[in-house]
């Protein structure tokens, strides 16, 4: 080949290389713009998810507070009639002992009914079996006429809601 042909071949090769570089740059720019678009979409999704989570937490905290407030209101609403009865009993000046005792008994019955209505159970009776999960033994006696781990006296009744002990019964046990 002549020198001139070599130069023409080199020019053609240079042009082909330049065209290939332009194609690679174009493809590279397209890939970069696709990646940037994906990154932007992912970032927006992440921001939306973070905002939704923050809203969820705030809403959950508000609902939790509302639930506690409603529960307290319900309990107070159940107890208020008994308080009213006690106030009426104390306002009676000409009552005899039997009438006062009857009024207090009726008020106690009303309170117990209110507690039962909201799911509170009373437990701890003499003769029951001692259970350390529900009872607090403060005294112990040895008595052969009674069985083992039997409650003989109840100093303070226990209260529970479902399986949750609110206050253990304070008891005296035998053997």
């Amino acid at each position: 080949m002549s020198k001139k042909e070599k130069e023409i071949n080199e020019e053609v090769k240079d042009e082909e290389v330049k065209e290939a570089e332009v194609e690679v740059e174009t493809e590279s720019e397209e890939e970069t713009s696709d990646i940037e678009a994906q990154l932007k979409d992912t970032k927006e999704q992440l921001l939306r998810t973070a905002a939704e989570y923050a809203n969820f937490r705030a809403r959950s905290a508000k609902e939790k507070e509302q639930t506690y407030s409603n529960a307290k209101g319900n309990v107070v609403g159940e107890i208020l009639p008994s308080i009213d009865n006690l106030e009426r009993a104390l306002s009676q000046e000409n009552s005899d002992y039997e009438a006062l005792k009857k009024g207090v008994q009726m008020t106690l019955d009303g309170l117990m009914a209110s507690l039962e209505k909201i799911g509170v159970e009373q437990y701890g009776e003499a003769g029951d079996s001692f259970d350390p999960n529900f009872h607090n033994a403060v005294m112990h006696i040895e008595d052969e006429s009674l069985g083992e781990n039997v409650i003989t006296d109840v100093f303070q009744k226990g209260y529970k809601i479902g399986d949750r002990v609110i206050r253990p019964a304070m008891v005296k046990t035998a053997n």
Side-chain angles (χ1 to χ4, degrees), residues 47-151:
L47 288 173
R48 274 193 226 111
T49 303
E52 287 175 12
Y53 181 67
N55 290 340
F56 170 76
R57 281 192 340 204
R59 192 172 48 252
S60 295
K62 184 178 179 182
E63 288 173 1
K64 183 178 176 183
E65 182 60 36
Q66 239 175 0
T67 301
Y68 286 139
S69 178
N70 290 342
K72 288 177 191 176
N74 291 342
V75 169
V76 170
E78 287 296 324
I79 294 174
L80 285 177
S82 298
I83 292 172
D84 294 339
N85 289 340
L86 285 171
E87 288 175 343
R88 279 192 287 275
L90 289 174
S91 69
Q92 297 296 320
E93 295 179 14
N94 300 343
S95 296
D96 62 348
Y97 174 74
E98 288 303 316
L100 184 62
K101 183 177 178 182
K102 183 179 177 186
V104 170
Q105 183 62 48
M106 289 173 60
T107 303
L108 177 62
D109 293 343
L111 274 171
M112 295 311 293
S114 295
L115 289 176
E116 191 174 305
K117 193 172 181 181
I118 61 175
V120 177
E121 296 177 47
Q122 181 182 23
Y123 68 92
E125 298 288 331
D128 288 351
S129 288
F130 175 76
D131 183 349
N133 295 317
F134 296 103
H135 303 101
N136 181 17
V138 293
M139 292 180 75
H140 177 78
I141 61 166
E142 294 293 332
D143 188 347
E144 295 301 322
S145 66
L146 298 171
E148 193 164 321
N149 286 332
V150 173
I151 296 173

Side-chain angles (χ1 to χ4, degrees), residues 13-63:
K13 284 182 184 177
D14 285 343
E15 285 180 24
E16 288 176 357
V17 168
K18 286 180 184 178
E19 287 176 9
E21 285 177 357
V22 168
E23 286 178 16
V24 169
E25 281 181 20
T26 305
E27 288 177 10
S28 176
E29 287 175 10
E30 288 175 3
E31 287 177 9
T32 303
S33 67
D34 286 345
I35 291 173
E36 286 175 356
Q38 288 176 350
L39 181 61
K40 184 179 179 183
D41 288 344
T42 304
K43 187 176 180 181
E44 287 177 11
Q45 287 177 343
L46 181 61
L47 288 173
R48 274 193 226 111
T49 303
E52 287 175 12
Y53 181 67
N55 290 340
F56 170 76
R57 281 192 340 204
R59 192 172 48 252
S60 295
K62 184 178 179 182
E63 288 173 1

